[in-house]
Amino acid sequence: MDIRFSPAEEAFRAEARAWLEANVPRTRPDRADLRARRAFDLAWQRKMFDAGWAGIAWPKEFGGRGASVMEQLIWFEEYARAGAPEITTTFVGLNHAGPTLVACGNEEQKGFHLPRILRGEVIWCQGFSEPNAGSDLASLQTRAVIDGDFLVVTGQKIWTSYGNIAEFQELLVRTDPEAPKHKGITWVICPMDTPGIEVRPITTLTGDHDFCEVFYDNVRIPLANVVGKLNDGWRVAMATLSFERGTAFLSEQVRLARRVDELIALAAQVPGPNGRARALDDDELARRLALVRAEVEAMRAMSYRSVSLAARTGMPGAEASIIRLFFSELVQRIDMLAMDILGAPALAGAGGGPAGRWAVSYLTGLSQTIGGGTKEIQRNIIGDRFLGLPR
Ligand SMILES: Cc1cc2nc3c(=O)[nH]c(=O)nc-3n(C[C@H](O)[C@H](O)[C@H](O)COP(=O)(O)OP(=O)(O)OC[C@H]3O[C@@H](n4cnc5c(N)ncnc54)[C@H](O)[C@@H]3O)c2cc1C
């Protein structure tokens, strides 16, 4: 492990910091207004593209920055430090579909889609999960049969983030029902305006509509949209999922460290339990604040170690699942602590100023231990691949 930065990396940091300080947008769209968020995110993506910062981890030949792993780490740290917009509606295009096309797409697919994603012209969504296929993704049932030059798709997906504002979907369908379940799946690019698609938004605990159910009724998708080969979709999908735990995750960690500092500042302002003037004067709350601050630092050290290892070996380490699991549960501990510090005013919800914002964060944070593999599945991976425990 070597966690010192070279002079060239420090120069890269200075360049990134200067650009971000001058260009990060100071206003944000209303969280509930998905159309406004879409427009805002695409405009920000375009701005980064024009300045040469888009697709930081993408190869240069596909329009990306082609940054080294250490440079990516620095970029995402600076990105969070500058308070730059969280990547939400553009996430699937930039971190799943784009890298998957780079790895598995043909020249035509790369030439058409990659520039549109990088320039901030399209939103992608992910059609993997189904009502009976989440953790056990390979049991998916959405069927596709070949008819001439088309795949004809019938079935249902669920939890499709931003399905209601996306142009394209990375869609997994079953093309060979007779084959063993991992072998009969195909990964296909689905244009969301194809006739036969119905998108129904789902309302979450916070009142948002970021998730959707998507129904397919004889939807005709050109065979030319298949990525990889027919029935080879599991391999392609695994390539997609391995990108999810890439370096982009580092900016979330830096953001979390900032939130802990904000919480400590808040605890010095609000009254504490048992008539104390400040929440910070309560021994138990102070102990929990100190603990989460130490835990955020420990996680940063683990991530540095993992990134440094990957930079030297070229391989992402198996500890990515440990970091991911620790992060997701730590987010929830921090949000719970915020609820305990704030007490009843937190119940004011989204409309309730700073206290309400913590409540929204608490509610959305519940999804941290579900999306991208539940905490139980992460523990299975750690037990199996890291600890070598018997199945
Ligand atoms: C914020 C968020 C965004 C999402 N976005 C998308 C998206 O854009 N596209 C998409 O396709 N999906 C998306 N999902 C869905 C997500 O991938 C699934 O929710 C996840 O894979 C879990 O599947 P499930 O909900 O069907 O739960 P299930 O798999 O039914 O699990 C139910 C419970 O059983 C446990 N369990 C299941 N199997 C095992 C096992 N083998 N060992 C131990 N415990 C087990 C789970 O841990 C869980 O507690 C999103 C989810 C979230 C929370």
Side-chain angles (χ1 to χ4, degrees):
M1 175 170 65
D2 181 358
I3 57 170
R4 284 162 305 179
F5 294 102
S6 69
E9 286 161 355
E10 290 296 358
F12 177 86
R13 184 185 293 281
E15 189 192 346
R17 184 172 294 185
W19 187 82
L20 285 162
E21 271 171 12
N23 290 285
V24 163
R26 295 291 152 215
T27 56
R28 297 293 143 90
D30 178 5
R31 191 191 148 81
D33 187 345
L34 209 46
R35 296 267 148 209
R37 280 169 61 194
R38 179 195 145 93
F40 175 89
D41 289 351
L42 290 179
W44 169 237
Q45 180 61 25
R46 177 75 200 203
K47 196 166 193 176
M48 287 192 288
F49 176 82
D50 288 342
W53 292 105
I56 195 85
W58 287 32
K60 278 194 177 134
E61 57 176 311
F62 300 115
R65 178 95 184 186
S68 70
V69 177
M70 292 314 272
E71 286 173 345
Q72 292 171 37
L73 179 148
I74 292 166
W75 167 255
F76 287 116
E77 279 193 347
E78 290 302 320
Y79 190 92
R81 185 184 168 277
E86 267 182 80
I87 304 294
T88 57
T89 65
T90 52
F91 183 87
V92 172
L94 289 167
N95 291 347
H96 284 238
T100 303
L101 291 176
V102 167
C104 307
N106 61 33
E107 291 314 308
E108 208 171 311
Q109 291 163 345
K110 287 183 203 170
F112 182 84
H113 289 289
L114 297 179
R116 285 171 171 76
I117 294 172
L118 272 195
R119 287 196 302 249
E121 292 170 2
V122 287
I123 299 288
W124 278 67
C125 62
Q126 184 186 60
F128 283 17
S129 306
E130 297 182 3
N132 292 311
S135 302
D136 185 13
L137 181 59
S139 16
L140 62 92
Q141 295 297 324
T142 295
R143 282 287 312 277
V145 290
I146 298 175
D147 179 20
D149 291 336
F150 290 87
L151 278 177
V152 183
V153 178
T154 303
Q156 185 199 341
K157 297 289 172 178
I158 194 167
W159 314 126
T160 311
S161 306
Y162 312 116
N164 41 354
I165 54 163
E167 275 86 8
F168 295 101
Q169 182 180 50
E170 44 178 34
L171 176 62
L172 288 184
V173 290
R174 184 158 303 282
T175 33
D176 184 354
E178 306 304 324
K181 65 180 185 178
H182 292 86
K183 299 252 166 80
I185 293 171
T186 297
W187 199 109
V188 64
I189 301 168
C190 173
M192 291 299 282
D193 59 357
T194 314
I197 295 180
E198 188 192 341
V199 179
R200 293 187 204 156
I202 298 170
T203 306
T204 64
L205 270 176
T206 50
D208 294 330
H209 304 286
D210 291 9
F211 283 135
C212 301
E213 290 178 290
V214 183
F215 297 85
Y216 310 79
D217 180 11
N218 288 302
V219 174
R220 296 177 73 79
I221 304 174
L223 271 173
N225 285 15
V226 170
V227 173
K229 295 199 183 81
L230 265 182
N231 301 323
D232 190 28
W234 190 252
R235 185 185 62 84
V236 180
M238 287 306 104
T240 312
L241 291 180
S242 70
F243 292 114
E244 186 157 310
R245 296 178 190 94
T247 47
F249 176 54
L250 287 162
S251 61
E252 287 184 51
Q253 295 191 9
V254 179
R255 210 171 260 130
L256 192 63
R258 285 165 58 120
R259 290 185 57 226
V260 170
D261 288 342
E262 281 169 30
L263 193 55
I264 293 170
L266 189 71
Q269 288 163 16
V270 298
N274 305 321
R276 295 195 203 295
R278 309 181 315 159
L280 202 53
D281 297 333
D282 180 78
D283 285 352
E284 179 56 14
L285 291 177
R287 187 192 65 77
R288 285 168 64 194
L289 280 167
L291 180 64
V292 291
R293 184 142 91 170
E295 286 179 321
V296 166
E297 287 308 315
M299 187 177 55
R300 179 98 67 98
M302 278 198 286
S303 300
Y304 270 28
R305 182 182 178 281
S306 166
V307 169
S308 170
L309 207 63
R312 275 191 293 126
T313 62
M315 296 276 290
E319 67 277 5
S321 279
I322 299 180
I323 298 173
R324 168 75 204 154
L325 174 65
F326 188 72
F327 174 83
S328 59
E329 293 188 331
L330 178 57
V331 168
Q332 294 176 348
R333 279 200 294 283
I334 291 169
D335 288 333
M336 193 65 222
L337 177 54
M339 296 297 96
D340 288 341
I341 288 171
L342 285 162
L347 296 176
R357 277 207 300 280
W358 280 100
V360 171
S361 171
Y362 168 74
L363 293 174
T364 50
L366 298 173
S367 68
Q368 283 284 347
T369 45
I370 304 172
T374 67
K375 60 182 184 213
E376 289 78 17
I377 295 299
Q378 301 293 353
R379 285 192 163 86
N380 284 351
I381 295 172
I382 294 165
D384 189 27
R385 295 190 209 150
F386 199 72
L387 300 175
L389 298 177
R391 273 171 180 259

